[in-house]
Amino acid sequence: MPAYHSSFNDELDVRQVGNLSVLPIRTRIRGPAPQVTDPSQPDIIDETLDLFRANSLFRNFEIKGPADRTLIVLILFISDCLAKLGSARTVPSQIEAQKMLNTLSVDSFPIPGDANFALNAHYAPPANRADSGKSDSMN
């Protein structure tokens, strides 16, 4: 059975950083990702959550486009979130879990181009410092 691929691989006119797609997300917070034009349609985060369990079980994953690379990075981040919640000595309450995940979200998470990113062989590094999100104005 093949892995599930991103439906956003077919999108045209998508900004790319390295060989990752910067896809629209449903949010009220301004950032580098464009806003979703149709709120009834799933965004890349919805798709990642839907495909997380199935794609996490596959040993091999054939990358068919830049949206698949974005999907992989998001799956890795979700895995880190679950590991953080699972590492607690006791099952955290909802408020405690939100605090733990908020702390994790502002910690540094290795991204393509970082020396400690595990899958650098499959990703092109960002073309410049501004694209990498590491500029002083973005931190």
Side-chain angles (χ1 to χ4, degrees):
M1 179 178 197
Y4 297 99
H5 296 279
S6 177
S7 61
F8 293 99
N9 280 328
D10 302 329
E11 295 278 326
L12 302 174
D13 270 349
V14 173
R15 180 175 161 236
Q16 290 189 15
V17 174
N19 53 2
L20 282 163
S21 291
V22 179
L23 297 164
I25 57 173
R26 192 174 18 260
T27 184
R28 290 174 285 188
I29 299 170
R30 235 180 46 175
Q35 297 280 330
V36 169
T37 54
D38 183 5
S40 65
Q41 295 296 319
D43 63 359
I44 186 65
I45 296 171
D46 294 328
E47 184 177 62
T48 303
L49 292 170
D50 288 342
L51 300 177
F52 173 76
R53 186 172 185 184
N55 282 346
S56 295
L57 298 175
F58 285 105
R59 186 178 194 117
N60 298 316
F61 185 83
E62 179 187 357
I63 298 172
K64 293 193 174 185
D68 279 347
R69 287 184 173 87
T70 303
L71 184 71
I72 292 168
V73 170
L74 290 172
I75 286 172
L76 291 173
F77 183 72
I78 291 170
S79 295
D80 276 3
C81 291
L82 293 174
K84 179 76 170 176
L85 293 174
S87 68
R89 288 183 290 199
T90 61
V91 177
S93 68
Q94 183 176 354
I95 293 171
E96 291 168 337
Q98 285 176 331
K99 287 180 183 177
M100 291 169 71
L101 293 178
N102 282 336
T103 302
L104 180 65
S105 71
V106 296
D107 287 347
S108 70
F109 176 77
I111 58 173
D114 287 351
N116 57 345
F117 184 69
L119 301 173
N120 266 336
H122 303 286
Y123 288 84
N128 55 47
R129 186 175 170 87
D131 278 350
S132 74
K134 302 278 185 189
S135 66
D136 294 333
S137 63
M138 296 183 92
N139 287 338

